[in-house]
Each structure stands twice: as structure tokens, then as C-alpha cells.
Amino acid sequence: MSDQIQSIVEKLNQEPFRKNYNLITFDSLESTQLLQLLNDVLGEIDPKHAVDIREELPEQTAKRMLSLLGILKYKPPGSISDLSAFRQGLVTGSKPVIHPVLHWLLQRTNELKKRAYLARFLVKLEVPAEFLQDDTVADINKQYEELMEAFKNLHKECEQLKPSGLSTAEIRRDISAMEEEKDQLVKRVERLKKRVETVQNHQRMLEIARQLRLEKEREESLAQQKQEQKNQLFHAEQRLQRAQLQLKEMHHAVEDSKPESLMKKLEEEINFNSYLVTEKIPRELESKKNSTYFLQKVVAEPAMSQSDLNVLEIKINEVNAQMNQLIEKRMMKYEPIDSKFSMYRQQASIISRKKEAKAEELQAAKEEMSSTERQMLQKTSQAHELEGSEVLKGDEFKHYVNKLRSKNTFYKKKRQEIAEITAEYGILQRTEELLKQRHEAIQQQLQAIEDKKGISGYSYTQEELERVSAVKSEMDEMKGRTLDNMSEMVKKLNAVVAEKKASLAPVIKELRLLRQKCQELTQECDEKKIQYDSCAAGLESNRSALEQEVKGLLEECVQEESNYRYINCMKRNLEIQLQRAKEEMKAYISSDPQERRKAVREQYTRIILEQENLGKKLREKQKVVRESHGPNMKQMKMWQDFEQLMECKRECFLKQQNQTAIGQVIQEGGKDRLVL
């Protein structure tokens, strides 16, 4: 229940509600506020229900909410007989009814919005059969059903198109952008064709460029294949290392061991695992289930007051008394059993506790060892990924640190050079801007002089001719360099491909040997596993028989131990009662008055006399109070009336004084005016 309320508060504090509740404020909401909150959530799902419930009758509110919950397919908890209680709780705003509804609605708001939207069009109107006899009504109803089916189909198509992420506006923008790009590419291709047509052997150059592109693509694919081969080789090395580690561990385990020791070790491991599976884990699981069940039961119960706790304590005491009576009857019926098994029971309990403690220690050690192995493998793989070699140790690590320091010094030096170059670049950029400004000013002066002389555009035409000639010479030079570069690049590519093939050949050969060795190890592992399975099957049969025998003995031991403990408890209780009875008898028959006063009988007799005297005094006091109650009440009423009368006189006196003071002020003001 607390998790449910926590989830409701978190959802209500988010968009679009923004209620800013906490657990205390939400739990302190009244029934009307809870109903309004439920109505707000329903209004978020279906906007038609966004109303104020104070403006409509409670029956109308409940009917409207029930109809929407029915459309949303909400199933109230409980059987059919609880539906009336659910409706009554919805009308009164009961928390046990509204909290589950809020939790169900807030967990699937988007889905319910869609369902409420579809219900507006897909909830079929039921037309009585007598109205369908009319042809017009029947045709309209048929058309209504056809439109409903068409809406279903269109909605399905729309839902299928939504995940594709395509919209008409985006498609149109993409098409227009692609058309513009296409036009630019066509124009660019035409310009390049016109430039290339004037060059000799342009077809051969285009073919060489195409071959160069193909070789680059092939180089990329070969580099990718090489990377994949490296990854496969790395994984194969890791598997080989793990297999070698396992093989080394098996060798260490087998070197100084005999079949008897191996069998004994396997038996110990099997016993430990069987103890965990059959005793420890089921017992822990059962205890966890019981605690969870009781906790859920406590959470489901309503809040209890002090009176409820007192009633429960009384019931517990009654049940304990009945249990004690039944145990006494049983012990009177059966003869007491000899306590010769107490020593064995004690030893068995001590051994079982030690066994549980050792099992927990062993399990914790195994978990720690497995986590340490995982960390070791992870660190080893990280080291291989970073350096491609094993972890450095000793002098190698010192050499590596010195190398890093020298690289750091070199890095700082280069960084300082970059900062100097950046500062110089800023100065040069500013110089370039100044020169551009001067050039523009000179160009304007030159243009003004040309306009004055009547030869405007002369300098521009001359610069354009010089630029075209310079561009032509650069293009010719660049074409020659391009051809040379292409031929050199083809030679380099052929040499690189041959070198890569030669470097990969020994790696592939080594990989084949490793694969063959891996197959041999796998076959040997399968044979060992078959031997282990056959041995485990034989040990399992013996273990089951021993387990049954041990289980019977343990049950008998537990039963005897419980009987022994119960007998000891009863014996101690009887001894204590007997001792108290002897002390009471001794005190009662004693001639010493002080000793007799210590007896329980004398104490109770004295307390009874004191209570009787107190009761007499209280009855006399009650009688006096009862006789004087009427006159006292009458006198109190008279004093209250007298107090009201005096209060009224005081108010009248104060009012009269205020009026006299106001009259004097008015008279003094009139006299002043007469004097003026």
C-alpha cells in the first residue's frame, strides 16, 4: 500500500498535474478533495470530464465516473458482490476505493487517452429492434457501422505509419533539398566536363581516378577485415588464457592428489551444495516468505487505535492461557520421558549451528573469490586493449613512467609553440585586414581616376586576364602533378597490399593451430564431464539414502529436545509456585506480627479494608454533593445574572460619559464661533 501511494504521489507531482504533494499531504486529503483529484485525472484522459464536482450532484458524478471507468475497462478488486461496495465507496470518496483507481489510471495514462479517444467513435449506439424495422433508420444504422469500420482501418494505417517517423512536410523538404543538390551537382559536373575536355587523354585519367577510388574502397574493406581479425585473435587469446588457467589449476589439483582425495573433495562439495539446496536456502526462503506475508498483512490492515491494541492483547493472553491448559492436559496424559537424550540434542544443535556458520563463511569466500577473478579478468582485458601486451612490472614500469614524463615535457613544449603560433596568427590576421582595407581604398581611387579618364573597367579587365592565364598555368601544372601522384599512389597501394598479405600469413597460420588446440581441449573437457556425471550419479543415490536417515534422526532429535525443554519449564514453574506457597504458609503461621504483615493474605486484607473505607468516604462525599447540587446551581445562575446586570450597567455608564463629553465639545465649539 505504501509503494502504491508513493507511486501515485510521484505521478501527480509530474507533468501535467504538478500537484506538489507529499505522502502526508496526500494522505490528509478529504473525501471531496480525493473525488476532485480523481475527476482531474479523468479529465486529463478525456477532456469532457474536466468539470468541478461541486457543480453537480454526487449521483451524477458517480454515474459519469463509472461510465468512463467502464469504457476504460477498469476491473475493481474483489468479486461481483463487492461492486456495490465499490460504487458506494466511489460516491463517498473512500480512500481504499479511490487509491487503487488513481494508481491504475496514472500507470497507463497515454494508453487510456488513446482508448478514450477511440471510444468516442467506436462505442456502438444500441438501437432498439423495433426502430430498425424502419428502412430509413436501418440504412442510417448500416451507414454508421460502415463508417465505424472505415475509421478502424484508417486508424490502424495511421498507427502503422507513425513509427516510421515520416511526415509529408519533412518529405517535401527532403525532396526540395535533394532537387537543389541535384541541380548543383549537374552544374558542377558540366563545368568539370568542359574543363576536362580540353585536356589530352582525359578518358584515361578518369579511368585511373576510378581505379584509385576502387582501390581506396578495397583498402578500407581490408583494414576493416584486419581489425576484425585482430579482435577475433584477441578473443581467441583470451579464451586460450582462460583454458590454460583452468588447465593449470586442474594440473595443480591433480599433481599431489589421489582418486580417494578427489572423491572425498567431490563428496564434500556435493554435501555442501545439497545442504544449501535442501536445508539452508529453503529455510531462508520460507522465513522470507512468512515475514513478507505478515508485513503485507500488517500493511493491508487499517490503522489501529489503543483500544484495538488492548483488545488484541486480551485475546493473546486468553489464547496463551488455553495453550497452557492444553499442554498441561497433554503432560498429565502422557508419562514424562527420560532426559537421557538431552546431551545428544545439545551436541546436535551445536553442530547444526556450526554447520550453518561454516556454510555461510564458505559461500561468502566463494563469492569473494569469483568477484576477484572477474576483476582480474577485467583488468587484464583492459590492459590488453590499452597496450596490447601484458601488465608491466618492476623496471619495465619505471621505464614506462620515464617515457611518459618525457612525452609530457615534449607535449608542454609543443603546446607553448602552438600558443606562440596562435598569437602570431592573430597579428597576421589583423595585418591582413588592414592591407585589405588599404587595397579597397586604392581600388576606389583607381576606379575614380578611370572614370575621370573615360576608361572605366580597364584595371579589372587586365586583372581578370592575368588571373585566367595564371589559373590555366596552375591547372596544367596540377594535372601533371596529379598524373604523377596517381601512378605513385597505385604503386604504393600494390606494395601495401602485398605487405599486408605477407604480415597476415603467419597470424592466420597461428590462428589455425590455436583453433586445433581449442578443439582438442574441448574434446578432453567433454570426456572429463562425462566421467564427472557418471560419478555424480552414483554419489547422488548414496546421498539421498543418507539424507533420509539423517532427516528422520533430526526430526526425532528436535521432538525430544522440545519435550525436554517443556518439562524443564514446567518443573521450574512448579518449583517457583511451591516455594512461594511455602513462604506464604511460613509467614501466615508465624507468631511475629512483622512476618505476618508480609504475607500476601494479610496484604490483600489490608488493601481491601483501605478500599472499603475509601469507598465509604466517597459515597458520603457523593451524597453531600448530590444534596447541595440544586442550591449550588441556582446560586451559580443568580451570580451569572448579577454579573450580566453589572456588565450592562457599566456599558450604559460608559455610553453616558461619552455622550456628555461630545456635548461639552459641541458647546465649546459654539461659544468659540460666537466669540469670533
Side-chain angles (χ1 to χ4, degrees):
M1 186 66 70
S2 60
D3 295 338
Q4 188 182 77
I5 295 175
Q6 181 70 30
S7 176
I8 293 171
V9 171
E10 288 177 358
K11 293 289 184 181
L12 290 175
N13 291 336
Q14 296 174 2
E15 293 291 344
F17 302 104
R18 285 293 179 186
K19 295 294 184 181
N20 294 326
Y21 286 146
N22 54 33
L23 293 176
I24 298 173
T25 55
F26 178 75
D27 190 60
S28 62
L29 291 177
E30 298 179 356
S31 58
T32 308
Q33 295 173 338
L34 267 179
L35 279 174
Q36 184 62 51
L37 183 61
L38 177 60
N39 190 78
D40 294 341
V41 175
L42 293 175
E44 180 64 27
I45 294 171
D46 190 356
K48 292 192 298 183
H49 293 264
V51 296
D52 193 349
I53 62 172
R54 293 174 294 182
E55 298 177 357
E56 59 182 1
L57 297 175
E59 291 79 7
Q60 295 177 353
T61 304
K63 185 177 179 181
R64 178 170 55 78
M65 290 182 179
L66 286 171
S67 63
L68 182 57
L69 290 174
I71 291 171
L72 300 178
K73 298 181 180 180
Y74 174 71
K75 294 181 180 179
S79 59
I80 299 175
S81 60
D82 297 335
L83 292 177
S84 60
F86 175 75
R87 296 192 187 95
Q88 186 67 26
L90 192 63
V91 173
T92 58
S94 177
K95 291 181 181 179
V97 174
I98 293 180
H99 285 177
V101 178
L102 281 173
H103 184 263
W104 186 80
L105 292 173
L106 293 172
Q107 291 297 323
R108 44 185 68 83
T109 306
N110 295 327
E111 177 186 350
L112 296 177
K113 281 183 181 180
K114 181 179 176 182
R115 189 176 294 173
Y117 167 73
L118 294 176
R120 294 167 54 192
F121 306 102
L122 299 181
V123 175
K124 189 175 180 181
L125 298 174
E126 296 295 335
V127 182
E130 56 269 17
F131 292 132
L132 292 175
Q133 300 297 327
D134 190 357
D135 296 337
T136 306
V137 176
D139 293 339
I140 293 172
N141 188 38
K142 185 177 180 181
Q143 186 179 1
Y144 167 68
E145 292 177 353
E146 291 175 355
L147 289 173
M148 188 180 292
E149 293 296 328
F151 175 77
K152 287 182 182 178
N153 297 328
L154 290 173
H155 183 72
K156 287 180 182 178
E157 292 178 2
C158 180
E159 290 295 325
Q160 291 174 359
L161 290 174
K162 277 183 180 179
S164 63
L166 298 176
S167 63
T168 55
E170 292 179 357
I171 293 171
R172 286 171 183 166
R173 285 197 297 270
D174 293 341
I175 290 172
S176 60
M178 286 189 288
E179 286 179 352
E180 292 177 359
E181 190 175 354
K182 180 182 175 182
D183 295 337
Q184 292 176 2
L185 289 173
V186 169
K187 292 178 181 178
R188 188 175 179 183
V189 169
E190 289 178 354
R191 286 198 301 270
L192 290 174
K193 281 183 178 179
K194 289 179 181 179
R195 290 180 182 178
V196 172
E197 284 177 355
T198 58
V199 180
Q200 296 179 356
N201 299 326
H202 66 277
Q203 292 293 337
R204 185 170 176 275
M205 292 174 66
L206 290 173
E207 186 65 26
I208 292 171
R210 190 179 297 109
Q211 290 178 2
L212 176 62
R213 180 175 54 80
L214 294 174
E215 290 296 331
K216 284 185 178 180
E217 292 177 355
R218 187 180 175 188
E219 182 184 5
E220 291 177 358
S221 64
L222 288 173
Q224 188 176 1
Q225 290 178 5
K226 181 181 177 182
Q227 187 64 33
E228 291 176 357
Q229 292 290 333
K230 282 185 177 180
N231 294 333
Q232 291 177 3
L233 180 61
F234 175 67
H235 292 308
E237 287 178 353
Q238 284 188 339
R239 288 196 297 271
L240 179 62
Q241 287 178 0
R242 288 196 294 269
Q244 288 177 352
L245 184 62
Q246 292 177 359
L247 185 62
K248 189 182 293 184
E249 291 177 355
M250 291 175 68
H251 280 308
H252 284 303
V254 173
E255 279 178 357
D256 298 329
S257 62
K258 297 180 181 179
E260 292 81 3
S261 61
L262 289 175
M263 291 292 292
K264 188 176 181 181
K265 188 181 293 184
L266 289 173
E267 286 179 358
E268 291 176 355
E269 188 172 357
I270 289 168
N271 290 330
F272 172 71
N273 292 329
S274 61
Y275 168 73
L276 289 178
V277 172
T278 58
E279 294 182 16
K280 188 174 184 297
I281 294 175
R283 188 164 58 248
E284 291 179 355
L285 182 62
E286 188 66 26
S287 65
K288 295 292 184 184
K289 285 182 179 178
N290 290 332
S291 61
T292 305
Y293 170 73
F294 286 120
L295 289 174
Q296 289 177 352
K297 193 173 180 181
V298 170
V299 170
E301 291 291 333
M304 301 179 70
S305 61
Q306 187 64 34
S307 60
D308 296 333
L309 293 175
N310 294 331
V311 172
L312 287 176
E313 287 180 357
I314 294 169
K315 288 183 180 179
I316 290 169
N317 294 329
E318 292 176 356
V319 172
N320 288 332
Q322 292 177 3
M323 287 173 61
N324 292 329
Q325 291 176 3
L326 292 173
I327 292 169
E328 289 176 1
K329 289 180 182 179
R330 181 183 176 189
M331 294 306 298
M332 291 173 65
K333 184 176 180 182
Y334 296 101
E335 293 181 358
I337 302 172
D338 191 11
S339 61
K340 62 182 180 180
F341 293 107
S342 61
M343 181 176 65
Y344 300 107
R345 282 196 293 269
Q346 187 176 4
Q347 291 177 358
S349 63
I350 292 170
I351 290 169
S352 64
R353 286 195 293 270
K354 286 183 178 179
K355 189 177 180 181
E356 289 179 358
K358 293 299 179 183
E360 291 177 356
E361 290 178 2
L362 181 59
Q363 190 173 3
K366 284 187 175 181
E367 290 177 356
E368 186 178 359
M369 185 178 70
S370 62
S371 65
T372 306
E373 288 179 353
R374 285 196 298 271
Q375 290 178 2
M376 184 185 70
L377 291 174
Q378 186 179 2
K379 297 295 183 183
T380 307
S381 63
Q382 288 178 0
H384 279 291
E385 289 177 359
L386 292 173
E387 295 291 336
S389 60
E390 296 182 355
V391 180
L392 300 177
K393 298 178 182 178
D395 297 334
E396 294 180 355
F397 183 74
K398 292 180 180 178
H399 180 68
Y400 179 69
V401 170
N402 294 328
K403 187 177 179 181
L404 284 178
R405 287 174 180 171
S406 62
K407 285 185 178 180
N408 190 16
T409 306
F410 182 73
Y411 165 74
K412 290 180 180 179
K413 183 179 179 182
K414 292 298 181 183
R415 189 173 179 180
Q416 186 178 2
E417 291 179 359
I418 289 171
E420 293 175 356
I421 292 170
T422 306
E424 187 176 358
Y425 172 74
I427 296 170
L428 292 174
Q429 193 173 7
R430 178 60 181 166
T431 305
E432 184 183 3
E433 290 177 358
L434 295 174
L435 291 174
K436 282 183 179 179
Q437 291 176 1
R438 290 179 63 185
H439 177 71
E440 289 176 359
I442 292 169
Q443 286 292 114
Q444 290 177 0
Q445 292 177 3
L446 180 61
Q447 189 175 2
I449 294 170
E450 288 177 352
D451 292 337
K452 188 183 291 185
K453 298 294 183 180
I455 53 172
S456 61
Y458 174 77
S459 61
Y460 176 75
T461 304
Q462 186 177 3
E463 288 178 0
E464 189 68 21
L465 289 173
E466 291 176 356
R467 188 180 64 80
V468 169
S469 61
V471 167
K472 184 176 181 303
S473 61
E474 288 178 0
M475 286 292 294
D476 294 337
E477 186 178 357
M478 186 175 64
K479 288 174 185 176
R481 286 199 306 270
T482 304
L483 291 173
D484 295 337
N485 292 333
M486 285 181 180
S487 60
E488 290 178 1
M489 190 175 294
V490 169
K491 291 179 182 178
K492 288 181 181 179
L493 287 173
N494 291 329
V496 169
V497 169
E499 185 181 354
K500 296 296 181 183
K501 286 182 179 179
S503 61
L504 287 174
V507 176
I508 294 170
K509 187 183 294 184
E510 186 178 357
L511 181 61
R512 288 174 183 171
L513 294 174
L514 291 174
R515 285 178 180 172
Q516 185 177 0
K517 191 172 182 180
C518 181
Q519 290 177 358
E520 293 175 358
L521 290 172
T522 305
Q523 186 176 1
E524 185 179 356
C525 180
D526 293 337
E527 292 175 357
K528 296 291 184 182
K529 188 176 180 182
I530 292 169
Q531 293 177 3
Y532 170 76
D533 293 337
S534 61
C535 182
L539 293 173
E540 183 68 23
S541 60
N542 296 329
R543 185 183 63 82
S544 59
L546 292 172
E547 280 182 354
Q548 294 295 331
E549 185 178 357
V550 171
K551 190 175 181 181
L553 293 173
L554 286 174
E555 290 177 356
E556 185 179 357
C557 181
V558 170
Q559 186 177 1
E560 296 296 334
E561 187 176 356
S562 63
N563 292 332
Y564 168 73
R565 288 179 179 174
Y566 174 72
I567 291 168
N568 281 338
C569 291
M570 293 298 294
K571 181 181 176 183
R572 283 196 295 270
N573 290 334
L574 291 173
E575 288 175 354
I576 292 168
Q577 291 177 4
L578 182 61
Q579 184 67 25
R580 289 177 64 186
K582 286 180 180 179
E583 291 176 357
E584 179 68 20
M585 194 67 186
K586 183 179 178 181
Y588 183 69
I589 64 177
S590 177
S591 59
D592 189 4
Q594 296 295 331
E595 289 292 333
R596 293 187 66 181
R597 288 178 64 86
K598 292 181 181 179
V600 177
R601 182 175 179 179
E602 293 292 334
Q603 292 178 6
Y604 280 124
T605 304
R606 188 169 59 255
I607 292 170
I608 289 169
L609 290 174
E610 290 177 357
Q611 293 298 323
E612 287 179 354
N613 295 329
L614 182 62
K616 288 180 182 179
K617 292 179 181 179
L618 290 175
R619 282 194 294 272
E620 291 175 358
K621 190 175 181 180
Q622 182 183 9
K623 185 178 178 181
V624 172
V625 170
R626 191 175 293 168
E627 289 175 355
S628 62
H629 178 69
N632 289 338
M633 291 298 293
K634 187 175 179 180
Q635 188 177 5
M636 187 177 71
K637 181 69 168 55
M638 292 172 66
W639 277 108
Q640 288 177 354
D641 295 340
F642 179 72
E643 185 180 2
Q644 290 179 1
L645 181 63
M646 296 303 292
E647 183 68 26
C648 182
K649 286 184 177 182
R650 188 177 69 83
E651 291 178 358
C652 293
F653 178 72
L654 293 173
K655 189 182 294 183
Q656 187 176 3
Q657 280 186 348
N658 291 332
Q659 289 178 358
T660 304
I662 292 168
Q664 290 177 0
V665 171
I666 292 171
Q667 290 176 2
E668 290 176 359
K671 290 178 181 180
D672 294 338
R673 284 196 297 270
L674 290 172
V675 171
L676 291 171

